[in-house]
Structure formats: C-alpha cells, structure tokens
Amino acid sequence: MYHPTVARLTYRALLGRRRAAVLLILPALLILIAVAVRAFNGVDDQIASDVLGGFALATMIPLIGVIAGTGAIGPEIDDGSIVYLLAKPVTRPSIIFTKLIVAISVTMVFSAVPTFIAGFILNGNGQQIAVSYTIAALVASIAYSALFLLLGTVSRHAVVIGLVYALVWETLFGSLVAGARTLSVQQWSLAVAEKTSAEEGMIASDVGLPVAIVLLVGVTAVATWYAGRKLRTLTLAGEE
C-alpha cells in the first residue's frame, strides 16, 4: 500500500521552501510563548496545561493538519498534475494511503515535537503534562490528517473548509456549545491526554476515553476509505 515514489514526491511538495516556512511559524510561536510565560510566571502546572491545551492542541495542531492534509493532494488536483500520477500503475487506494502517511508524519513532526519542547520549557514535564499533551498531539495528528486529506480529495475549497472547522467549529463552537465538543478531534485527543496525566483534573475532556478511541479510529478509517473511493472516480478524461 505504501509507494515510495509517491511518498517522495509528496514530501517534496509539502516541505518546499514556502510551505515549510509556513509550517514552522506556529511551532516557533508556541515555543516563544512558552519561553515568555516561563520567564514571567515561573513553573506553574496549570498555566502549562492552559498554554498547551489552549494554543498547541486547540489552534496549532489543527492548522498544521490543514496545511499538511490538504497540501498532500489538493494542489495536484487543482492544477491537474494528478493526471500524471493516476496514469501510473499505482492503485488509487495506495496513493491515498501513502499521502496519508506523509501527511501524518509531517503533522506529527511539526506539532508533537514543539508541543513536548514547549511543555518541558513551561514546567519541566511536571505532572506528565508535556508527555500527555505530546501524546494528544500525536493522536490528533492522525485524525486531522485523514480528515483534511479527505477534504483535499473532495473539494477545491479544502483549505477554507478546513480552516472553518479548525477555527470556528473546534475553537469557537467547541468552547460555547457543549454538544459540539463531542464531535471534536481536540476533545477526543484530550481524553487520551487526560488518561496519561499524573494529576487528576489537570487535563479534562468532555468525552470518555473509550468513546474517544472509537471515534478517533472510526473517523480516521472512514475518511481514508472514502478518500480512496473518491479518487477512484477521478478519470483521466475527467481531469483533462
């Protein structure tokens, strides 16, 4: 299912000079915020949790997921270069699976690594906060990549839709409407972080861990399957 040539081309597209610079902005900002908070407030477990939950998990990771997930396939569909890839003897589910692996790996590197660094700066991983949010970042990276890769496959406005979901649904509605939190990747990943945290109540999710795991696995699997199905419907003639 994993195709090295497709992976190499996708990595090259995602990590080009311009896109890599965009991907680095949010992690750099998170670390800068962590340094400033530590300098002004010292070690505070609750503040560390608030920073990692409020900025890293709620804003940085979904935005990086949008960039990596939609960027793994969306530009190729938009400019028609996907035609050349579809003409090769590579199955379309294999293309989707490979691009998903690339999107996940890029999202993890640019989200989980700076999350751990920021957590360590904030409180030295006290109460396992840095590790817990890093695990949440890894889990969220998988689900976000699958969702936004699907968006990149089905819509030419995938970036806009992804931004609306990340900033409006998860951040705005998720903070105001209790029911919306159940359908939030952020809350699902928080459930995992809550389980791994050393102090009860430091990290909280509105979704129970069993439900969160089922939803994370289900959404990732369904999004990947449907993206492969949609790519099968793209014919060479249709793209031309």
Side-chain angles (χ1 to χ4, degrees), residues 143 146-147 188 210-226:
L147 279 173
W188 304 342
V211 175
I213 291 175
V214 170
L215 289 172
L216 283 165
V217 173
V219 165
T220 301
V222 171
T224 304
W225 168 79
Y226 193 65

Side-chain angles (χ1 to χ4, degrees), residues 77-88:
I77 294 177
D78 290 342
D79 63 20
S81 60
I82 192 72
V83 170
Y84 302 102
L85 182 57
L86 297 179
K88 303 297 181 182

Side-chain angles (χ1 to χ4, degrees), residues 18 25 27 37 53 55 112 121 157 175 180 200 219 221 226 230 237 239:
R18 183 178 302 177
I25 290 174
V37 169
F55 183 77
I121 291 171
H157 307 289
S175 63
E200 186 175 352
V219 165
Y226 193 65
K230 290 299 293 183
E239 288 299 323

